[in-house]
Amino acid sequence: ISTTSVMNIFDKKVNIPRGKFTEVLCVDEVYSKKFAYRKYCFITYSPQTDKILDVLNSRRKDNLLEYFLSIPIKERDTVKYFSMDLYDIYRQVAKKCFPKAKICADHFHVIKNLTDLFNKARIRIMKKYTHLKHENHTYYWLYKKYWKLLLKNPDKLKYKKFKVNRSGMYLDEHQIVNYMLSIDKDLKDGYELMVEYKNFNATATSDDVKIELDKLKVKFQNSELPELRKFYRIIKSWYQEIINSFDKINGHIISNGGLERANRDVKTLIRNGYGLSNFNRTRNRIMYVKNKNESIRYTRKK
């Protein structure tokens, strides 16, 4: 049968309703190219049921308010935690529509902001040593080739040595990182501060998170790197949301991890579609593919 027949059958038999909210509600956006009303579509997800609850064709504030406020307050009040990235519009919507929920800043997005700012500092500092490029210096070449090791968690760096071709030296990943940090004190201090925050993120609990975060906030405020002082402003702006994200539900911290995995599959589905134009069909297809045991209609939709 033709592709058009397949789409017609799908449209008539698949019409998935919005899922009900759970204690934890995660939200994020996906670049929607041409099939949604706006540049990004908005996704709601429940980590407790591992299901995409709904897909909206816009992430604009007025559209989100209209959507959430149309849902009965009784159901909205069942949401205890609202997990999101650092997009202030979502925070404004959450405060308005979910008054009983704690707003949580997703750990992944906080760390991503930190690593992006540190990487900007690395690029700026590297440009100070451009003269080493003309001298064919090992330091500058390692910076160009192995800079990603600076963003890697130290406990994931490998100890197995390999030949660094241009220098002829045999180094492991730890030695390469130490070599790159040896030439500039500010970069080394910034790297150690970034690692300290990552360790805090991995080990802090709801009992000590406020004390530890206050200590880190002061360190970022006093950093010699202007890029890391920007991260201080992020901590200051999202202070309570970062603290809230260390609460646990059923032994698990509040996180958008499950939604990020779902988003990866959604992006693959959109890419494999080679240009989707029908939003309702795409929404139903995303939810039908990603959610387990979604049913089809017994009677055809008109």
Side-chain angles (χ1 to χ4, degrees), residues 23 53 93 98 104 107 135-136 166 171 176 203 244 298:
E23 283 185 310
L53 302 180
V93 170
F98 299 90
C104 304
H107 291 204
E135 299 172 12
N136 201 25
R166 183 166 295 195
L171 302 172
I176 290 174
T203 60
N244 291 344
Y298 179 71

Side-chain angles (χ1 to χ4, degrees), residues 137-271:
H137 198 281
T138 302
Y139 170 81
Y140 189 87
W141 183 76
L142 286 175
Y143 240 147
K144 294 291 286 186
K145 186 172 177 62
Y146 296 106
W147 62 270
K148 288 185 179 179
L149 294 180
L150 292 172
L151 306 182
K152 199 173 179 179
N153 287 337
D155 56 348
K156 293 184 178 179
L157 295 174
K158 298 176 182 177
Y159 284 96
K160 185 178 180 180
K161 292 187 177 183
F162 57 92
K163 186 177 181 180
V164 180
N165 291 332
R166 183 166 295 195
S167 67
M169 297 184 294
Y170 283 84
L171 302 172
D172 60 38
E173 291 182 345
H174 284 273
Q175 291 172 322
I176 290 174
V177 168
N178 291 334
Y179 193 80
M180 286 190 285
L181 296 176
S182 64
I183 199 169
D184 194 281
K185 183 180 181 301
D186 289 347
L187 186 68
K188 183 179 180 182
D189 292 344
Y191 175 80
E192 290 174 350
L193 187 54
M194 178 183 68
V195 170
E196 187 177 351
Y197 187 90
K198 288 182 177 180
N199 291 336
F200 152 79
N201 189 74
T203 60
T205 65
S206 56
D207 296 326
D208 62 5
V209 59
K210 188 176 184 302
I211 297 172
E212 297 301 324
L213 187 60
D214 286 341
K215 293 177 183 177
L216 283 167
K217 188 166 70 169
V218 173
K219 290 182 180 181
F220 278 104
Q221 186 180 14
N222 297 328
S223 173
E224 295 296 327
L225 298 179
E227 293 84 358
L228 293 193
R229 290 200 294 273
K230 289 182 180 178
F231 189 71
Y232 156 75
R233 292 196 287 272
I234 290 176
I235 295 178
K236 184 179 178 182
S237 176
W238 294 88
Y239 180 76
Q240 191 56 52
E241 288 79 8
I242 293 174
I243 291 174
N244 291 344
S245 68
F246 285 86
D247 286 2
K248 289 187 176 183
I249 290 285
N250 299 325
H252 299 283
I253 59 172
I254 312 301
S255 169
N256 272 20
L259 179 53
E260 292 297 329
R261 290 190 295 272
N263 279 356
R264 178 191 59 200
D265 295 335
V266 169
K267 291 172 185 175
T268 301
L269 188 150
I270 294 171
R271 185 171 63 251

